[in-house]
Amino acid sequence: MHTEGDTWVCRSCENEDPRESNAEAAMAIREGQQDDGAPAVADTTQGSTETMQEPCPADDCDSDQAYSEMMPKPGGSYEVRLLTCVECGHKWRES
């Protein structure tokens, strides 16, 4: 929602509500928030035991085996295969 004069207006449905100074005073503002950095992301290939024959794209590695893990794309439209080289640990995704 965003403000337009004395009302709050929803950007998607255009619903309007009157602004209330007491309620707005209790809202968190960006200046009062603390940045804790990016959230930790789980390594989906960690602990994976499934391997497949896939040449490592790293220049200094001749391995042809990689750990494989399927990970859903945000939004759930389809999955992406994440690969980790068995020998050097290089990570890439199947395109």
Side-chain angles (χ1 to χ4, degrees):
M1 295 187 82
H2 66 280
T3 58
E4 287 184 6
D6 292 337
T7 58
W8 284 99
V9 180
C10 178
R11 294 182 196 277
S12 58
C13 71
E14 299 297 322
N15 181 44
E16 295 185 8
D17 284 325
R19 291 177 67 176
E20 297 177 24
S21 59
N22 289 341
E24 288 182 32
M27 291 181 188
I29 56 173
R30 186 174 204 119
E31 291 81 26
Q33 295 179 357
Q34 183 176 11
D35 183 10
D36 295 332
V41 177
D43 182 357
T44 60
T45 61
Q46 186 176 21
S48 176
T49 57
E50 181 184 345
T51 61
M52 62 185 296
Q53 187 168 354
E54 185 73 32
C56 179
D59 293 333
D60 58 347
C61 184
D62 294 327
S63 175
D64 66 346
Q65 290 292 309
Y67 296 112
S68 170
E69 179 90 18
M70 294 300 287
M71 181 175 174
K73 286 280 283 189
S77 58
Y78 59 93
E79 292 183 327
V80 173
R81 184 180 303 274
L82 301 177
L83 302 160
T84 303
C85 178
V86 171
E87 288 186 25
C88 72
H90 178 78
K91 296 180 182 201
W92 70 99
R93 68 176 179 198
E94 191 175 63
S95 51

